[in-house]
Amino acid sequence: MKKDRWLLRAVVLLALSAALMTGVSFAAEAGSGADPLVTLSYLNDTFFNSVMQRVDQRIAERTGQALPGASSASFVVVTLNDGQTLTGGVGCEVMLRVGSAVCVAPSDPGLIDETTAATLANGASLAQNHLYMMTIEGRGVRATGGTTKVLARGTYTVS
């Protein structure tokens, strides 16, 4: 008698579990809005970037500092029109890719040419495909003809 009761409970539990599983699988079809699929590329490309931007904003709010222009851990393309100046923070690197530009610096040294290990004075022209670094605040590059494109890495402002 006890054996029959245990067997009956097991069969009812098994049937109930199967019915619930079937209902759940019909209710949430894989890949639908009810069961979204999150990919690694979404996490890396979209979610992580938005979280890092929020963190930067919170840090700036707590320290009472405004975010200085733009900042990039990797190179980004910056387009400058004739007369516009990109002013970099200490450690900012730029590479002239298209157009022409000159060094802007109130004193020497202006920019450090990492390609040749030389310095560039105020008003001197940048060479295309050379990597330059700002080692003192207030240094930058000014576009001198048409549209100029530079690769920039670090903190900078465009004016």
Side-chain angles (χ1 to χ4, degrees), residues 27-106:
E29 186 177 323
S32 69
D35 183 23
L37 179 64
V38 176
T39 63
L40 181 59
S41 62
Y42 170 80
L43 291 174
N44 288 336
D45 298 338
T46 306
F47 181 73
F48 181 75
N49 289 338
S50 68
V51 168
M52 292 309 293
Q53 287 175 350
R54 287 187 209 159
V55 168
D56 289 343
Q57 288 173 346
R58 297 283 187 213
I59 289 171
E61 289 171 5
R62 287 181 184 236
T63 59
Q65 298 173 350
L67 293 175
S71 179
S72 176
S74 60
F75 283 100
V76 294
V77 177
V78 179
T79 302
L80 302 171
N81 295 319
D82 189 21
Q84 279 190 309
T85 302
L86 179 147
T87 305
V90 173
C92 180
E93 295 174 295
V94 294
M95 178 184 287
L96 177 64
R97 295 293 292 140
V98 175
S100 60
V102 295
C103 172
V104 176

Side-chain angles (χ1 to χ4, degrees), residues 7-26:
L7 185 61
L8 181 61
R9 284 183 181 170
V11 168
V12 168
L13 184 61
L14 198 59
L16 186 59
S17 295
L20 285 174
M21 294 281 224
T22 303
V24 167
S25 68
F26 286 132

Side-chain angles (χ1 to χ4, degrees), residues 145-156:
T147 301
T148 300
K149 293 184 185 276
V150 296
L151 295 176
R153 175 169 56 190
T155 303
Y156 63 88

Side-chain angles (χ1 to χ4, degrees), residues 93-103 111-121 123-133 140-142 144 148-151:
E93 295 174 295
V94 294
M95 178 184 287
L96 177 64
R97 295 293 292 140
V98 175
S100 60
V102 295
C103 172
L111 300 176
I112 304 299
D113 185 341
E114 294 182 61
T115 306
T116 63
T119 60
L120 200 63
S125 295
L126 278 69
Q128 282 191 349
N129 301 321
H130 280 220
L131 187 60
Y132 297 93
M133 179 183 280
V141 296
R142 183 176 54 247
T144 57
T148 300
K149 293 184 185 276
V150 296
L151 295 176

